[in-house]
């Protein structure tokens, strides 16, 4: 018996070494952790249970039958994070560059199936040279099997991808199908085709970092939700993300005990809005001063920063926050900000996380660039997302809510449950200047002082229309609230809405304008 036990221990020890000490050292020399070190860091101590440690590939081409590593380039299993069950796979770059074989895909699919069946989040730690070149079609089949499961799991369990090394070619599409992608600066990259292929096809000279690094993806493409400084910070971000999410689409999000008084006033909000309607202020101040303990986990901070999205809590209850940011492009809605917010609202709706929306938006961004790139199709996404969402929706208009942008930003008409406005709100079809140009432009030309005439008319328009009272008279705004009491009013509204039941007409699925 002892002999057999010793043999098991030996085999386990060999499997734990992955591609061997030399390759582990090479991984460390690049400033990277191994798959097992990453799992150890992310999961609660001693909670990891591994599957398929002895599984190995079946490839016999190119002498591969002699190149065997137990576990075959990925470590899979389950464990807990902050005491809550998760399923995980971590690609092991020390084994054939973490490249994806048929068997490696089978290991990943096994944990994906378990995650769906048992209703717990799936976390993928990616560090791989892509499809295993020696295998060919089997590797492609393996990727496709993973993609299918990503789609089946979407909206059923939260899926988070962390890119901790290379992620190239078709391999990018599994992370792309998941809910959040976290990358690390300088040591992770994602692209469909690498710099050499780019050079030969488009003659562009581009570095790996420029083409698919964390900075690029978190600011320009919007593919990544967060660019961490290193692997440790990336995993800490994952832990924070999970703390706001339920385990699956039938559970409620985890409520924690809050020590932040519900009635805490934020006096500074009473003087936050500048007298000049065109002057900016920082919407993050509104968010930070109203949510529990100023604790806000921002997502996609550097992509389309004219809209802010992220997670926070009110009285311990997780919420998604969406807010226009007047500090960037006056908080205008454009293609990127619409898509950013739409996807976030849909995530929250999938997982029963209420959405609180702070509105200060002058409208949609005009111009050929936006029109040519489909601001109509893309702007419709945010409208669609808010309209179909059945989660509790609380909206606070702090200043501008003009035109189509008023409609789309969680208005009453899109089933906003509670819609508040600050006394500084301006809710109208369009800004004063534009409105009087249309209404009085011709008449102004006949006046001795057209500028003064238009300025007077603009003031008249603003006094009559651009305030919250007209909308409140119609019931489109439920109340006009004191800014300093915004936290309390939101907490009360969310409490009132906690048992909200709403559903959409039966359908296979809608057809969001993609
Ligand atoms: C088999 C691979 C591999 C792969 C790396 N290795 N990628 N083995 N298939 N795809 C092996 C190497 O041979 C090496 O083995 C070890 O992993 C480490 O690789 P290095 O090249 O030494 O590491 P590094 O210098 O850090 O470079 C990493 C890399 C490079 C940039 C990822 O390895 C590379 O370019 N790999 C190929 C990438 C690629 O073209 N993949 C296919 C994409 S197409 P030893 O034994 O020396 O340790 C694709 C289609 C998917 O993925 C479609 C799905 C729909």
């Amino acid at each position: 018996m002892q002999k057999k036990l010793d043999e098991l221990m030996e085999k386990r020890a060999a499997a734990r070494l992955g591609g061997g000490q030399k390759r582990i050292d090479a991984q460390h020399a690049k400033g990277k952790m191994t798959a097992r070190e990453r799992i150890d860091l992310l999961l609660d101590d001693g909670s990891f249970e591994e599957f398929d440690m002895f599984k190995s590939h079946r490839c016999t081409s190119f002498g591969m039958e002699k190149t065997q590593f137990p576990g075959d380039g990925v470590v899979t299993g389950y464990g807990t994070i902050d005491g809550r069950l998760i399923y995980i796979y971590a690609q092991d770059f020390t084994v054939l560059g973490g490249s994806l074989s048929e068997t490696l895909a089978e290991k990943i699919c096994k944990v994906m199936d378990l995650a769906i069946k048992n209703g717990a989040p799936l976390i993928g730690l990616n560090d791989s040279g892509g499809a295993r070149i020696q295998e060919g079609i089997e590797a492609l089949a393996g990727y496709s099997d993973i993609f299918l499961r990503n789609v089946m799991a979407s909206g059923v369990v939260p899926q988070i991808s962390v890119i901790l090394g290379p992620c190239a070619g078709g391999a990018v599409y599994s992370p792309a199908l998941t809910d959040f992608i976290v990358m690390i600066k300088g040591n992770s990259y994602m692209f469909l085709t690498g710099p050499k292929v780019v050079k030969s096809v488009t003659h562009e000279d581009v570095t790996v970092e420029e083409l698919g690094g964390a900075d690029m993806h978190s600011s320009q493409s919007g593919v990544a939700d967060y660019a961490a400084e290193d692997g440790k910070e990336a995993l800490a971000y994952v832990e924070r993300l999970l703390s706001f999410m339920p385990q699956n689409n039938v559970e409620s999000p985890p409520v924690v005990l809050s020590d932040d008084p519900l009635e805490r006033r934020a006096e500074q909000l009473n003087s936050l809005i500048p007298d000049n309607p065109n002057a900016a202020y920082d919407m993050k101040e509104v968010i930070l001063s109203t949510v529990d303990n100023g604790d806000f986990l921002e997502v996609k901070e550097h992509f389309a920063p004219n809209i802010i999205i992220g997670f926070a809590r009110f009285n311990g209850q997780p919420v998604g926050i969406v807010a226009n940011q007047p500090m960037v492009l006056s908080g205008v809605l454009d293609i990127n900000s619409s898509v950013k917010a739409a996807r976030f609202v849909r995530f929250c709706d999938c997982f029963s996380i209420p959405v609180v929306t702070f509105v200060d938006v002058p409208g949609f961004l005009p111009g050929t660039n936006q029109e040519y790139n489909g601001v109509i199709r893309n702007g419709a996404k945010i409208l669609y997302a808010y309209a179909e969402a059945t989660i509790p929706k609380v909206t606070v208009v702090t200043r501008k809510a003009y035109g189509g942008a008023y409609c789309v930003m969680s208005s009453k008409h899109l089933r906003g449950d509670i819609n508040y406005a600050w006394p500084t709100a301006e809710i109208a079809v369009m800004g004063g200047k534009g409105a009087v140009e249309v209404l009085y432009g011709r008449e102004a030309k006949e006046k001795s002082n057209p500028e003064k005439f238009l300025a007077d008319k603009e003031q008249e328009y603003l006094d009559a229309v651009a305030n919250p009272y007209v909308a409140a008279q119609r019931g489109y705004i439920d109340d006009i609230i004191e800014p300093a009491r915004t936290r309390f009013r939101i907490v009360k509204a969310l409490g009132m809405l906690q048992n909200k039941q709403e559903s959409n007409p039966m359908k296979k699925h809608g057809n969001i304008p993609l």
Side-chain angles (χ1 to χ4, degrees):
M1 177 69 187
Q2 190 55 46
K3 206 168 148 229
K4 286 194 184 295
L5 279 176
D6 291 345
E7 185 189 13
L8 172 64
M9 294 310 153
E10 257 172 50
K11 282 185 184 294
R12 279 190 189 282
R16 285 201 188 95
L17 273 182
Q21 195 57 49
K22 229 171 98 187
R23 293 193 183 91
I24 292 175
D25 294 343
Q27 180 84 343
H28 288 159
K30 288 183 202 155
K32 289 161 68 175
M33 288 179 275
T34 64
R36 285 172 197 284
E37 286 164 351
R38 289 164 177 159
I39 290 175
D40 281 351
L41 192 62
L42 180 62
L43 269 51
D44 296 337
D45 284 349
S47 72
F48 182 56
E49 294 286 328
E50 186 169 346
F51 297 131
D52 296 332
M53 198 180 205
F54 306 116
K55 185 154 179 159
S56 53
H57 70 76
R58 297 185 278 266
C59 179
T60 51
S61 325
F62 307 101
M64 280 294 280
E65 65 277 8
K66 292 184 221 100
T67 314
Q68 287 289 355
F69 299 94
D72 195 23
V74 70
V75 182
T76 61
Y78 67 96
T80 59
I81 294 177
D82 294 332
R84 301 165 79 210
L85 175 67
I86 58 98
Y87 292 86
I88 189 162
Y89 70 85
Q91 292 169 339
D92 182 353
F93 192 81
T94 69
V95 175
L96 298 163
S99 58
L100 191 120
S101 67
E102 182 187 26
T103 46
L104 193 148
E106 285 168 3
K107 284 184 67 172
I108 294 179
C109 288
K110 185 187 273 188
V111 283
M112 295 180 88
D113 288 339
L114 283 164
I116 296 170
K117 265 192 253 177
N118 296 292
L122 177 78
I123 296 164
L125 308 184
N126 295 260
D127 187 0
S128 160
R132 185 160 304 161
I133 294 165
Q134 296 90 335
E135 289 205 8
I137 185 65
E138 287 92 344
L140 296 187
Y143 270 125
S144 310
D145 291 340
I146 293 171
F147 300 156
L148 175 73
R149 282 162 179 80
N150 284 130
V151 175
M152 293 301 116
S154 182
V156 177
V157 293
Q159 300 180 81
I160 300 176
S161 302
V162 192
I163 316 298
L164 296 150
C167 182
V172 298
Y173 283 118
S174 173
L177 292 165
T178 63
D179 298 303
F180 295 96
I181 296 182
V182 180
M183 295 183 73
I184 50 173
K185 293 182 189 173
N187 235 344
S188 70
Y189 50 89
M190 295 177 81
F191 39 67
L192 276 178
T193 45
K196 282 189 193 137
V197 179
V198 171
K199 174 79 180 165
S200 69
V201 177
T202 69
H203 310 294
E204 286 170 284
D205 278 310
V206 67
T207 65
V208 160
E209 197 58 31
E210 287 164 350
L211 188 63
D215 280 332
M216 190 288 284
H217 279 310
S218 60
S219 62
Q220 286 191 57
S221 71
V223 164
D225 294 282
Y226 187 68
E229 292 300 326
D230 54 26
K232 207 170 162 186
E233 201 210 335
L235 299 178
Y237 189 82
V238 170
E239 187 179 348
R240 288 264 287 142
L241 270 177
L242 285 170
S243 74
F244 293 98
M245 297 174 194
Q247 292 289 88
N248 54 55
N249 63 338
V250 289
E251 260 189 23
S252 299
V255 177
V256 301
L257 259 180
S258 167
D259 56 6
D260 193 353
L262 309 187
E263 298 207 40
R264 175 175 58 73
R265 288 172 61 86
E267 296 302 340
Q268 71 277 26
L269 296 186
N270 279 352
S271 52
L272 181 69
I273 305 293
D275 291 335
N276 175 357
N278 296 322
Y281 63 93
D282 190 356
M283 188 61 99
K284 281 192 191 156
E285 203 170 330
V286 180
I287 299 169
L288 295 177
S289 59
T290 50
V291 303
D292 288 357
N293 301 312
D295 186 14
F296 176 54
L297 182 69
E298 191 162 355
V299 174
K300 282 192 172 44
E301 180 178 359
H302 303 292
F303 175 72
N306 40 329
I307 207 156
I308 303 165
I309 58 170
F311 296 101
R313 289 189 180 81
F314 281 100
N315 194 22
Q317 151 86 59
V319 297
I321 303 268
V322 178
N324 308 113
Q325 172 57 290
M327 302 266 284
V328 183
L329 296 171
S330 307
V332 77
L333 276 176
D334 56 5
I335 293 171
N336 285 348
S337 56
S338 300
V339 175
K340 172 177 167 179
R343 185 160 156 77
F344 183 69
V345 169
R346 295 191 101 213
F347 174 81
C348 291
D349 193 43
C350 285
F351 293 107
S352 312
I353 302 171
V355 169
V356 174
T357 306
F358 294 104
V359 183
D360 186 345
V361 59
F364 275 97
L365 183 63
T368 50
N369 178 291
Q370 288 288 303
E371 296 290 355
Y372 292 174
N373 287 295
V375 68
I376 296 174
R377 180 169 51 81
N378 288 291
K381 288 175 184 160
I382 181 170
L383 170 52
Y384 193 111
Y386 270 121
E388 75 168 350
T390 55
I391 32 148
K393 291 179 279 192
V394 176
T395 309
V396 180
V397 181
T398 58
R399 189 170 61 174
K400 296 172 193 170
Y402 281 124
Y406 157 75
C407 306
V408 309
M409 289 301 296
S410 197
S411 66
K412 192 56 109 192
H413 323 282
L414 301 184
R415 303 192 293 184
D417 294 296
I418 292 295
N419 292 69
Y420 289 141
W422 286 3
T424 41
E426 306 166 21
I427 304 172
V429 170
M430 62 199 296
K433 221 177 191 58
V436 296
E437 293 280 348
V438 176
L439 294 178
Y440 301 107
R442 196 173 307 150
E443 203 181 327
K445 285 189 193 131
E446 292 156 14
K447 302 287 172 193
S448 55
N449 186 346
E451 285 81 25
K452 180 169 182 326
F453 173 75
L454 283 177
D456 289 348
K457 285 291 179 198
E458 188 180 337
Q459 196 52 52
E460 212 176 286
Y461 174 87
L462 291 177
D463 292 344
V465 182
N467 60 62
Y469 294 97
V470 182
Q473 278 166 14
R474 302 288 185 282
Y476 302 150
I477 289 295
D478 296 295
D479 199 7
I480 298 165
I481 64 172
E482 185 193 357
R485 278 192 21 112
T486 303
R487 167 176 168 76
F488 184 60
R489 301 300 296 261
I490 294 174
V491 167
K492 293 277 280 184
L494 289 170
M496 181 272 287
L497 294 166
Q498 67 182 342
N499 295 322
K500 178 185 171 186
Q501 293 285 336
E502 188 163 46
S503 57
N504 295 328
M506 282 293 290
K507 56 178 118 175
K508 190 170 174 190
H509 57 71
N511 189 13
I512 188 167
L514 294 174

